[in-house]
Amino acid sequence: ETGVTQSPTHLIKTRGQQVTLRCSSQSGHNTVSWYQQALGQGPQFIFQYYREEENGRGNFPPRFSGLQFPNYSSELNVNALELDDSALYLCASSLSTDYGYTFGSGTRLTVV
Amino acid sequence: DAKTTQPPSMDCAEGRAANLPCNHSTISGNEYVYWYRQIHSQGPQYIIHGLKNNETNEMASLIITEDRKSSTLILPHATLRDTAVYYCIVMDNYGQNFVFGPGTRLSVLP
């Protein structure tokens, strides 16, 4: 069984630009969550998608948005990038929260 | 805010057992405790989880106190490759997502 894969692995963007990060869930997992991890901190929950619908959101502004597709893959979109958006973005998939989440290796976003 | 508290850092000698404590005094009766670790900014890696009973797998053992207000992750024979940040996690109030604290940075020393 394949794990969670994220692309790209690294990305450099300019302040004010838009970015799209992608995630392929582990096979059979219908729930995807996105996390932002700033340097030296624990991951912070952005939002979750379950069967293509947003199913919960953390304390992030609306310029952070997402999609989940019928094959349960997912995108995270960030508009109007700010310097503080520089972080490791993690995608995690799950079949049931009783079994926890499988995390991808993340996308390292640098905003300059 | 994180629902768990852990010491910020710990050292352990290679080959010895590493015992990582965690307090989760506000945990509810049906919430699992999960342990993950993160090595050098890779994605968090699942270690073990439990509800009430002690659990053991090929990576570690999890000891949960009877009142479920704290737990201890045990790595029985730590190696240099176990150097990582270890997170003790419970779900958010909606039972949907992990609430991460800053974790414990474990350094395994030769």
Side-chain angles (χ1 to χ4, degrees):
Chain A
E1 94 188 346
T2 58
V4 176
T5 56
Q6 294 187 241
S7 62
T9 56
H10 296 82
L11 198 55
I12 299 175
K13 288 286 191 178
T14 303
R15 188 172 50 184
Q17 285 188 313
Q18 179 266 343
V19 69
T20 297
L21 310 181
R22 294 179 174 82
C23 171
S24 293
S25 306
Q26 183 164 327
S27 178
H29 286 190
N30 56 20
T31 302
V32 173
S33 295
W34 286 88
Y35 291 81
Q36 181 196 64
Q37 186 175 22
L39 201 61
Q41 299 181 19
Q44 300 297 308
F45 171 62
I46 303 175
F47 45 58
Q48 180 187 82
Y49 278 82
Y50 172 68
R51 295 187 175 182
E52 304 178 58
E53 297 288 332
E54 188 176 291
N55 189 40
R57 189 178 183 91
N59 189 26
F60 281 80
R63 59 189 185 84
F64 286 78
S65 63
L67 282 173
Q68 187 180 29
F69 301 100
N71 65 356
Y72 302 137
S73 66
S74 178
E75 288 182 352
L76 164 65
N77 299 289
V78 187
N79 293 322
L81 284 166
E82 302 177 357
L83 297 180
D84 286 348
D85 296 334
S86 296
L88 180 68
Y89 287 85
L90 295 161
C91 170
S93 72
S94 174
L95 178 60
S96 164
T97 55
D98 285 352
Y99 297 94
Y101 286 88
T102 301
F103 283 83
S105 297
T107 294
R108 172 74 60 187
L109 173 65
T110 302
V111 182
V112 297
Chain B
D1 291 338
K3 299 171 70 175
T4 62
T5 56
Q6 300 175 253
S9 63
M10 294 181 64
D11 292 339
C12 176
E14 187 177 19
R16 303 296 294 268
N19 296 278
L20 290 86
C22 178
N23 289 320
H24 31 78
S25 57
T26 61
I27 195 170
S28 65
N30 60 350
E31 284 184 309
Y32 285 86
V33 178
Y34 299 85
W35 283 84
Y36 281 70
R37 71 181 183 184
Q38 191 171 27
I39 298 173
H40 194 52
S41 292
Q42 298 176 19
Q45 176 192 21
Y46 170 81
I47 301 172
I48 199 167
H49 75 288
L51 185 62
K52 295 180 181 179
N53 300 318
N54 298 337
E55 302 288 345
T56 296
N57 63 20
E58 65 277 6
M59 290 182 68
S61 295
L62 175 61
I63 308 298
I64 303 174
T65 58
E66 191 171 345
D67 63 8
R68 300 207 334 114
K69 293 186 177 181
S70 65
S71 61
T72 301
L73 178 74
I74 301 171
L75 308 178
H77 306 286
T79 71
L80 299 179
R81 288 184 294 181
D82 292 323
T83 292
V85 178
Y86 286 76
Y87 296 101
C88 167
I89 308 164
V90 298
M91 290 287 187
D92 63 16
N93 291 334
Y94 302 98
Q96 290 178 327
N97 284 287
F98 289 156
V99 180
F100 285 83
T104 295
R105 181 170 297 278
L106 175 69
S107 298
V108 180
L109 307 175

